[in-house]
Amino acid sequence: MTIVTVHASGSVDPDEAWARYAEPDRWAGWAPQIRRVETSADRIAPGVTGRVHGPVPGVFVDFVVDAVDELARRWSWMVRRGPLTLRLEHGVRARATGTTTSLRVDGPMPVVLGYAPVAHLALRRLVAH
């Protein structure tokens, strides 16, 4: 297994960045690899399940949210497609002029290394106005 962490900083308010994470219906607005999300709830919470649909028809991953700490603005989830499983941990931190967000991805090396640049682009969009 390989672990990669990516960060991005931008001018968006930390509460807004957190809301963009916490409401799965908003993910497609900032993550170009996501076309739509089906979930068992309108907001992330431990045990929430769903399916993320990618940019190509028929490409999707199933997920379950493991943990959410609203006060710390941190959450984690497991994403699965067949035998492939990734663990993703997200965080949002206030900074003097906006927000810094982070993502830690743990999974098979080729998938993690291939996903890191896409994730970095998404995080830059997450924290941008």
Side-chain angles (χ1 to χ4, degrees), residues 36-107:
R36 68 185 170 89
V37 181
E38 301 167 14
T39 62
S40 61
D42 293 336
R43 192 167 179 88
I44 59 171
V48 168
T49 61
R51 179 170 281 179
V52 174
H53 294 267
V56 177
V59 174
F60 61 86
V61 294
D62 294 318
F63 71 85
V64 62
V65 176
D66 294 324
V68 177
D69 184 336
E70 292 268 352
L71 292 177
R73 297 187 190 112
R74 301 192 62 78
W75 71 289
S76 63
W77 57 327
M78 297 289 287
V79 176
R80 184 175 311 245
R81 175 69 190 239
L84 173 66
T85 300
L86 295 177
R87 178 170 171 73
L88 300 100
E89 299 175 12
H90 299 270
V92 172
R93 285 190 341 258
R95 62 184 197 116
T97 58
T99 300
T100 295
T101 188
S102 63
L103 167 62
R104 181 180 185 263
V105 183
D106 183 355

